[in-house]
Amino acid sequence: MFTDFFNLNSPLFWTIIQKFIINLAFLFLLIRIVYYRYSRKGIYVFSLFLMGIVIFILGSMLPIVFVGDLFGGGQLGMAVGLFAIFTILRFRTRNLNVKDMAYFFTVIAISAVNSFEWKNFPLLGIFIFNIIIILSAFVSEILLSRIATKDKKDKKAEKSVKEKYSTHPIIYDNLEMLKSPNKEDLIKNVAEITGLEVRKVRIKKVDYNKKTAELDIYY
């Protein structure tokens, strides 16, 4: 059993090592360059890297271990292995949100795909698939960041308005004036009704049954 313990002259072994290095490079791009840059959750970086490494090794070894299964080619072993891999997603943590869960799923998917023995399929295609996944995550993070920045600016502007002007809620019964083209007319109409120098009107709630709306006026 141990006569060839130090013998690494196996093309399959070195192929797995090469694929492991490639997988590690793509994991670095996804986890360190994309995930950590936008989340700053260092505690999950360790977990994501370790999970990716373990999944890759597991996926690479399954076809070898189960090479003699009933269905041939390790297909049964690979199916059982993949089932075990994706059941990891069932764990629950109070601090793990949907976005973090998506990254865990992505790390599992990338590592599993890179560990497969692709026959009659170009290696460049695997690279392209990995790049598509990482670029998708990167673009999504950019869009989410812009939305968050915009929301933050809107909240800051709203807070500034509240601090600058007095505010008061009113019940308004002319729903036609709530349409976007009537914004200026709405402010004038509310000013006439209240007798106040209204600067801004915010629609808080609309009751279509009673045909009334609750507005916050800033004056």
Side-chain angles (χ1 to χ4, degrees):
M1 179 179 179
F2 295 99
T3 55
D4 296 329
F5 183 79
F6 294 100
N7 182 15
L8 296 178
N9 295 325
S10 170
L12 182 58
F13 171 78
W14 292 110
T15 298
I16 293 176
I17 293 298
Q18 291 172 3
K19 290 165 62 177
F20 173 76
I21 294 173
I22 294 172
N23 182 66
L24 202 60
F26 282 117
L27 288 179
F28 178 82
L29 291 175
L30 176 68
I31 300 170
R32 180 60 183 85
I33 304 301
V34 180
Y35 175 75
Y36 182 73
R37 177 180 179 181
Y38 290 97
S39 70
R40 295 296 174 183
K41 296 180 180 178
I43 188 172
Y44 289 150
V45 170
F46 168 80
S47 302
L48 288 168
F49 267 116
L50 189 60
M51 179 176 287
I53 292 171
V54 171
I55 295 301
F56 176 84
I57 294 176
L58 180 61
S60 298
M61 297 304 295
L62 280 173
I64 300 173
V65 175
F66 292 95
V67 69
D69 65 38
L70 295 176
F71 295 94
Q75 297 301 318
L76 177 61
M78 183 62 72
V80 173
L82 286 177
F83 177 78
I85 288 171
F86 287 104
T87 52
I88 297 174
L89 292 175
R90 297 189 56 170
F91 70 87
R92 293 292 183 269
T93 306
R94 286 183 300 174
N95 298 325
L96 194 66
N97 56 34
V98 177
K99 181 180 172 182
D100 293 330
M101 189 68 116
Y103 272 100
F104 273 92
F105 176 82
T106 305
V107 166
I108 292 174
I110 285 180
S111 299
V113 168
N114 291 336
S115 69
F116 291 161
E117 184 179 355
W118 294 88
K119 297 179 180 180
N120 301 321
F121 194 84
L123 181 61
L124 180 60
I126 306 301
F127 274 77
I128 291 175
F129 288 156
N130 280 270
I131 291 171
I132 288 174
I133 293 173
I134 294 172
L135 282 179
S136 298
F138 183 63
V139 171
S140 298
E141 287 285 10
I142 291 176
L143 294 176
L144 286 175
S145 178
R146 289 181 178 178
I147 293 172
T149 302
K150 183 178 181 300
D151 290 342
K152 188 176 180 180
K153 288 181 178 179
D154 291 342
K155 289 180 180 179
K156 187 176 180 180
E158 185 176 343
K159 184 179 179 181
S160 177
V161 169
K162 287 182 178 180
E163 292 175 351
K164 187 175 180 180
Y165 301 108
S166 298
T167 181
H168 186 75
I170 66 168
I171 302 298
Y172 191 71
D173 59 2
N174 189 355
L175 299 185
E176 188 67 23
M177 295 292 291
L178 301 182
K179 295 180 179 179
S180 297
N182 300 329
K183 183 177 180 180
E184 296 298 328
D185 294 334
L186 174 62
I187 294 175
K188 292 179 181 179
N189 186 249
V190 171
E192 291 175 359
I193 295 172
T194 60
L196 300 172
E197 192 176 347
V198 180
R199 299 294 184 181
K200 181 182 176 181
V201 175
R202 184 172 71 90
I203 302 172
K204 191 174 182 181
K205 185 171 61 175
V206 177
D207 189 335
Y208 290 100
N209 292 326
K210 296 181 180 180
K211 296 183 178 180
T212 59
E214 186 177 347
L215 309 178
D216 283 334
I217 61 172
Y218 299 86
Y219 58 95

